[in-house]
Amino acid sequence: MDKIELYYNGIDIYDKVSLNFCVHEMNAEHYADSLTLRFNDSAGVWSKYGSEANDIIRLKYGDADSGAMYLHSMSAQNGLFTIRALSMPAEKKEKKSRNWKGMKLTSIVAQLAEEHGLKYALYGVEEQVYRNLTQTDETDFEFLERLCSYESCCFLIHNKKLVVYSEPYMEAREASTLEVGQNGQFDYGMIKKKYTSCKVISGSYTGTFSIGDTGELLVRRDVQASSEGEAIRYAKGLLRKENKKTVFGRIIKSLQTQYSAASVVKLHTDRASLWDKKMFITCIRNDYIKNRSDIYFRGIPEGY
């Protein structure tokens, strides 16, 4: 049977604590990964330990590896001690305003990674050059999330690496089968596409992207585009962002360490076969004390 390995600044502390809560949450979109630990500390031993923001915590269990996680908070209450760590560095939250003129997308990613002490990688991302791009009163990662939404991309941070990926590229990968089973716990949903077209209006430039002739039109006037082609590309990304979660759900199973966020799976659900199709995992919440995985997914958009 696999054993939890829990490292604090490179030292395995698992045998030195008595965990009663240990949850690792991996996210593919919008949110940093998190690791929350709670253990008995009735003698106040751990409370005397000198800890610094961005101390490194890492959890391993079989196939699962949280990678390096940065300490964000510690608290003590009634003999219990709680540690919360995130995959994102703690101190880099200031809002900034700056212009990115004549910059390539890869150069922007590389600069942001360097400024935050991270390595970087891109998967399936098409190179773009921006005549003028403005970051206005946003943190670097808020700015990057907005830029990714224009380009049909997302980013995540894992093991001190900033990863930017094309959503269509990741969704096109071969899927492994995820069996829910006769007695599997699940909660699935499906809603009608909210929009079938998006129009970006930016000064003298207008761009529209459509996936159908009927349905609502999404109009965005708050997007900075430097050409008609750029406006069309941004409209495509923004339409995808609005509609990509029209099919969604959650599966609860015993601990599933072989899956990770941003994986592609083919569902097999005996009691809900309508959802038996290719899905994209947006989040996995592994509870190592309860031996349980909550797997959240969304459908894969067609046409964009």
Side-chain angles (χ1 to χ4, degrees):
M1 183 176 179
D2 292 318
K3 174 182 178 295
I4 294 175
E5 299 173 60
L6 183 61
Y7 297 92
Y8 197 106
N9 289 334
I11 300 172
D12 191 347
I13 65 168
Y14 179 72
D15 292 332
K16 296 180 175 65
V17 298
S18 178
L19 288 173
N20 59 33
F21 188 87
C22 180
V23 172
H24 178 216
E25 186 171 291
M26 297 170 281
N27 291 285
E29 305 173 335
H30 310 309
Y31 305 102
D33 292 357
S34 66
L35 177 63
T36 304
L37 310 169
R38 186 176 302 120
F39 48 87
N40 295 320
D41 188 34
S42 56
V45 174
W46 193 264
S47 299
K48 300 174 184 177
Y49 184 80
S51 301
E52 301 291 338
N54 283 341
D55 279 0
I56 299 298
I57 302 169
R58 186 169 192 165
L59 181 144
K60 295 183 180 181
Y61 183 92
D63 297 326
D65 184 349
S66 72
M69 307 281 285
Y70 299 92
L71 174 67
H72 272 242
S73 67
M74 308 177 83
S75 63
Q77 182 180 23
N78 298 328
L80 295 176
F81 201 80
T82 302
I83 294 175
R84 179 171 167 79
L86 299 178
S87 60
M88 183 181 295
E91 79 279 7
K92 302 289 188 175
K93 292 183 177 180
E94 70 267 27
K95 294 184 180 293
K96 301 175 183 177
S97 295
R98 53 179 165 176
N99 291 324
W100 303 80
K101 292 182 179 292
M103 293 282 287
K104 293 182 179 180
L105 177 55
T106 52
S107 299
I108 294 173
V109 173
Q111 182 172 329
L112 292 177
E114 181 180 6
E115 290 177 0
H116 291 265
L118 302 169
K119 297 179 180 178
Y120 74 95
L122 297 95
Y123 294 94
V125 177
E126 294 186 10
E127 184 65 282
Q128 306 293 345
V129 180
Y130 301 98
R131 187 183 306 168
N132 188 30
L133 198 59
T134 303
Q135 178 179 352
T136 306
D137 197 28
E138 299 168 291
T139 68
D140 288 339
F141 294 118
E142 288 172 342
F143 165 70
L144 181 58
E145 181 179 345
R146 176 167 63 86
L147 179 57
C148 283
S149 71
Y150 298 163
E151 303 293 356
S152 301
C153 294
C154 266
F155 77 90
L156 55 85
I157 298 173
H158 177 74
N159 200 23
K160 298 186 178 181
K161 180 181 286 187
L162 174 62
V163 176
V164 179
Y165 64 87
S166 159
E167 289 185 332
Y169 172 84
M170 296 293 275
E171 293 163 355
R173 292 171 299 157
E174 185 175 352
S176 58
T177 299
L178 177 54
E179 295 278 355
V180 180
Q182 281 279 356
N183 299 315
Q185 298 183 61
F186 60 89
D187 180 11
Y188 297 166
M190 188 180 296
I191 59 175
K192 184 179 178 181
K193 287 184 176 64
K194 188 173 182 180
Y195 301 102
T196 55
S197 299
C198 178
K199 178 184 287 187
V200 167
I201 302 173
S202 177
S204 60
Y205 301 113
T206 299
T208 302
F209 183 84
S210 300
I211 56 172
D213 297 329
T214 59
E216 291 186 52
L217 171 66
L218 171 65
V219 179
R220 292 287 299 269
R221 300 176 183 273
D222 58 339
V223 179
Q224 180 185 18
S226 299
S227 68
E228 182 178 334
E230 194 168 75
I232 294 172
R233 193 174 76 243
Y234 289 178
K236 180 180 180 180
L238 292 168
L239 184 63
R240 163 180 266 271
K241 180 182 178 182
E242 288 292 334
N243 289 333
K244 67 183 180 182
K245 294 188 178 179
T246 57
V247 178
F248 54 90
R250 178 182 66 158
I251 299 163
I252 302 172
K253 293 176 69 71
S254 60
L255 203 57
Q256 304 289 308
T257 59
Q258 69 271 39
Y259 298 108
S260 61
S263 296
V264 180
V265 294
K266 174 73 163 55
L267 294 187
H268 183 204
T269 313
D270 293 330
R271 292 177 290 152
S273 58
L274 180 62
W275 279 263
D276 283 357
K277 57 185 71 175
K278 199 173 177 182
M279 300 291 181
F280 184 82
I281 295 178
T282 57
C283 175
I284 298 181
R285 187 178 187 271
N286 285 336
D287 188 325
Y288 291 97
I289 302 302
K290 294 182 178 180
N291 191 44
R292 158 177 161 164
S293 291
D294 289 40
I295 303 173
Y296 297 83
F297 65 83
R298 63 164 174 81
I300 294 178
E302 297 180 359
Y304 51 154

